[in-house]
Amino acid sequence: MQGETGAALRDRVAQHIQAIYHDSPLGASPEGLAAALLDIMRLPPEQAPPLQHVNHWNQCDAVLITYGDSLLGRDEKPLATLKRFLDENTDRLLKGVHILPFYPWSSDDGFAVLDYSSVNEALGDWSDIEAIAADYDLMADLVINHCSSRSLWFENFVKGQDPGRGYFFTADPGEDLSAVVRPRTSPLLREVETSEGTRHVWCTFSHDQVDLDFRNPEVLKAFVSIVRQYLDAGVRIFRLDAVAFLWKVPGTSCLNLEETHEVVRLLRTLVEHARPDAMLITETNIPNRENLSYFGNANEAHCVYNFSLPPLLLNTLVTGDCSYLKQWVMAMPPAQNGTAYFNFIASHDGIGLRPAEGLLSDEELDRLIQAMQRFGGHVSYRALENGESRPYEINIALFDALQGTVAGPDEWGLERFVCAHAVMLGLEGIPGIYLHSLLGTRNDYQRVEHTGHARSINRHQWDLDLLQEALADGDSSHSQVFRRLKALLAIRRRQAAFHPNATQFTLHLGTAVLGFWRQSMDRRQSVFCISNISREPQALNLMDINLIDSHQWMDLIGGEVYGSRDQQLELRPYQTLWITNLPDHC
């Protein structure tokens, strides 16, 4: 690999293209399309490849997830307000920021893109994006499966003009499409009158989100051009939105097809040659085994969203039983160097239930859904092959989701919420924290009523002045959440044992205490992460976690020093300990 030349790179890209288009007419040779893609990416004719299996992250990495207009200030565009808030309030504890689609859009809060090459004027402009990218690792969405039905591309598709003619996937409504897996209950095909007659356009998500047809190489070239533009604007991390649905073959599930995986491999090859520390993250809200397949052999996504974590951790904390979560943690394979899990427990979307399939029983899922509905949450559904529907996600703000247990609300909501984040921050992987979790934002029923969409419950827009007042009030839940989560982030970033690829082993401490052990890559530091996930005090003997007598151990969170390995502790409800032999070892 180290001796690869420009021609060899072209050959490698051509191999990707051959694998993608093996059954589709290209209109050009794979080598010709490869040369065109390299020209779009402005890759030098002779360029050494990047080093393989390199971790472009460490324990300092944590990513804030936010919409561009979640914070609204006076007399400035929201992107400028966002940067000012980050600069003045987060103490540089968040190395990265994922700004959800900041492009002009027509629906789905940005995920029906009108124009990939522009910044939504209501948010700011490219100079605002570049300013954020200059100080933070910027993650941007590559909304690659579909775009808006009101985009220029789709208007041109209807007219039979370029660019757009042949850009969208159509199907015969007479074909058997019953095997297609979808996250929605709306009809899959949308009838459209075009210059070439009636066409039935494929819509995986909504009729305003029309699916692109990557069988047409012009679509691939258009997206490679978009990638190049984002790199030029400072984007380092590309979130491949809904990528699992990308390639369609009627008669199949149209999910996770091999051509889709090959497109991801191609994009990785192009991106990592353009910027060696650039990263691809696949957003694949699907069952766990299928999700993990997007690592490939460390040649696809650098990171995959750990979609099973949110429902499993939520279930753990509202039932007081960590059995299912512990089984999953034990079964998760370590991410090899050059790859990492992207951990999150809340996002702009709901808490997905598909990633819990096969991990939680139907009875457990029903009990969880009922508890969330009692706490003010909504449930979204997806269509099954037989025409029935099945719960797809729970829509609720995480702070409200953790206000109680299956028995009902209680006084432990704040502690339970902080415990959830302490667990996530300790686990192998890179943590992503949703802005509204960092701020302890509650269910926004008014926004749901205004938009008519259940997901809006967790998409509140803060007036910055009101937010600053809430954060300045030391007794407010917002202030307490913000302060305590920042404290955990500050501790985490100083511990080498919390490197995203550091060793992890699960401890067996019963059903009410979740424990796992992290060890730094140089094997000098250990951290035992132990959480009482119940609302009853739990006894813990330090001998149970096999501490070494020759070391002095202390809790990084509470500061307590332990003088004897047979010391008996009592964990308060939802208390987390990070017990280490070598504090602040980086």
Side-chain angles (χ1 to χ4, degrees), residues 416-480:
R416 193 178 290 112
F417 183 81
V418 173
C419 177
H421 287 84
V423 170
M424 178 189 70
L425 291 172
L427 284 169
E428 174 191 352
I430 300 169
I433 301 181
Y434 189 40
L435 175 70
H436 291 304
S437 293
L438 187 67
L439 302 175
T441 308
R442 308 295 299 269
N443 288 338
D444 190 337
Y445 302 111
Q446 185 176 359
R447 190 167 175 84
V448 173
E449 184 177 351
H450 175 71
T451 65
H453 298 297
R455 283 180 166 179
S456 297
I457 199 169
N458 197 24
R459 297 178 179 180
H460 181 70
Q461 289 180 301
W462 273 101
D463 176 278
L464 186 61
D465 290 340
L466 294 178
L467 174 60
Q468 296 289 19
E469 288 179 14
L471 295 181
D473 178 0
D475 294 328
S476 76
S477 59
H478 305 294
S479 175
Q480 294 180 64

Side-chain angles (χ1 to χ4, degrees), residues 160-229:
Q161 299 176 357
D162 292 322
R165 181 177 54 184
Y167 271 29
F168 296 92
F169 197 94
T170 61
D172 182 345
E175 290 183 285
D176 181 7
L177 303 176
S178 60
V180 176
V181 173
R182 297 183 60 227
R184 299 290 185 272
T185 56
S186 57
L188 173 62
L189 300 181
R190 171 187 171 183
E191 185 175 303
V192 178
E193 296 301 324
T194 76
S195 62
E196 299 177 0
T198 302
R199 307 290 293 276
H200 293 86
V201 181
W202 194 285
C203 301
T204 297
F205 291 89
S206 78
H207 282 191
D208 187 40
Q209 293 166 293
V210 283
D211 284 35
L212 293 146
D213 189 354
F214 274 81
R215 294 175 303 179
N216 181 350
E218 293 302 314
V219 175
L220 176 63
K221 288 163 67 175
F223 272 89
V224 170
S225 178
I226 292 163
V227 167
R228 180 68 262 181
Q229 180 184 2

Side-chain angles (χ1 to χ4, degrees), residues 236-256:
R236 182 189 162 208
I237 308 169
F238 293 84
R239 177 183 181 270
L240 304 185
D241 176 67
V243 69
F245 302 95
L246 186 72
W247 200 271
K248 288 90 172 166
V249 177
T252 73
S253 68
C254 301
L255 186 69
N256 309 317

Side-chain angles (χ1 to χ4, degrees), residues 536-586:
E536 301 296 331
Q538 299 294 324
L540 176 72
N541 192 307
L542 292 182
M543 291 185 67
D544 295 337
I545 58 174
N546 199 28
L547 301 184
I548 300 173
D549 268 334
S550 59
H551 294 165
Q552 185 179 63
W553 298 87
M554 71 168 290
D555 172 26
L556 290 164
I557 298 175
E560 183 176 357
V561 176
Y562 305 113
S564 171
R565 65 178 297 214
D566 59 0
Q567 187 171 342
Q568 186 81 11
L569 306 180
E570 183 176 271
L571 293 173
R572 300 186 304 275
Y574 306 106
Q575 181 182 5
T576 293
L577 306 176
W578 286 345
I579 300 174
T580 186
N581 64 313
L582 201 61
D584 298 344
H585 170 55
C586 287

